[in-house]
Amino acid sequence: MDLGFLDVDSLLPFMAVGFAAQLVDGALGMAFGVISNTLMVGVLGIPPALASQRVHFVECFTTATSGISHLLHGNIDKGLFFKLLIPGVIGGVLGAYVLTSIDAGVIKPFILAYLSCIGLYILWRGLFYPPKVKDAKIVAPLGLIGGFLDAAGGGGWGPVVTSNLLLQGADPRKVVGTVNSVEFFLTLTVSAVFIWHLGIADLAGATLGLLIGGLLASPLGAWAAKHLPAKQMLILVGIVLSLTSAYGVYRALS
């Protein structure tokens, strides 16, 4: 179907990706970037740098809305915010630079392997939910690593940083609100780096598809968050991410 300048058929795969990713993200508060990037790289065959660019551009809008909401509800820990902000942005810039400087065929199997590990980690969280409570000791290094992996892998800031802080024993409400708020600045910076290196010629159509799919899934994601147990959702996400990424690794290596 072609509506003037808009080729609807070409948008459908990206709408499906955005729908699936937002459905899970709305239920768990994480994993939009990981799932979007996994499906685009592993299933649609999009080059890793371009997939990550598209995901982060879309997240500029979704994380802005989330951050404002958490601010209004008093869910942000200022100390934790600034401890994560600078390292996270630095890590994001480094990850985006590395991803745009290496041949896609070389980096693709490693990115998919990383995403497989994230999937297994989420699955582990689900199987052993809830985790043991510990004192939170590692923050800034976690922000640096999370920002780097988020840019290089096209997602992972939420699963890596939020999950690790929760496992360390931090206040869940403050962790979710603060990590989501920092993510806006991270995605904004990473998107700027990708646009600088890759341009915006191939961005509009795919981004529009992701946005439409995400908007359509938002009500369902909110319903799932209210009705589905976190343990079952974590297990489901871990299985989907692990299998999808493993399939992508197989295709890339073969």
Side-chain angles (χ1 to χ4, degrees), residues 11-26 32 36 58 62 205-221:
L11 293 182
L12 288 177
F14 297 101
M15 290 172 61
V17 169
F19 184 91
Q22 183 57 41
L23 181 62
V24 175
D25 194 87
F32 178 86
S36 297
V58 171
T62 59
T207 301
L208 179 60
L210 290 174
L211 281 172
I212 293 174
L215 289 175
L216 291 175
S218 293
L220 294 177

Side-chain angles (χ1 to χ4, degrees), residues 35 48 54 60 63 73 91 129 138 145 156 168 226 244 254:
I35 293 176
R54 290 169 174 173
C60 286
T63 56
H73 286 85
Y129 187 89
I138 303 174
I145 295 172
Q168 291 185 66
K226 184 177 180 179
T244 305
S254 60

Side-chain angles (χ1 to χ4, degrees), residues 75-89:
N75 294 339
I76 298 177
D77 183 321
K78 292 182 180 180
L80 182 61
F81 178 90
F82 288 107
K83 287 180 181 179
L84 288 173
L85 178 62
I86 302 302
V89 168

Side-chain angles (χ1 to χ4, degrees), residues 207-241:
T207 301
L208 179 60
L210 290 174
L211 281 172
I212 293 174
L215 289 175
L216 291 175
S218 293
L220 294 177
W223 179 88
K226 184 177 180 179
H227 293 86
L228 297 180
K231 179 181 179 70
Q232 280 72 15
M233 286 299 298
L234 285 172
I235 293 174
L236 179 61
V237 172
I239 292 174
V240 171
L241 283 179

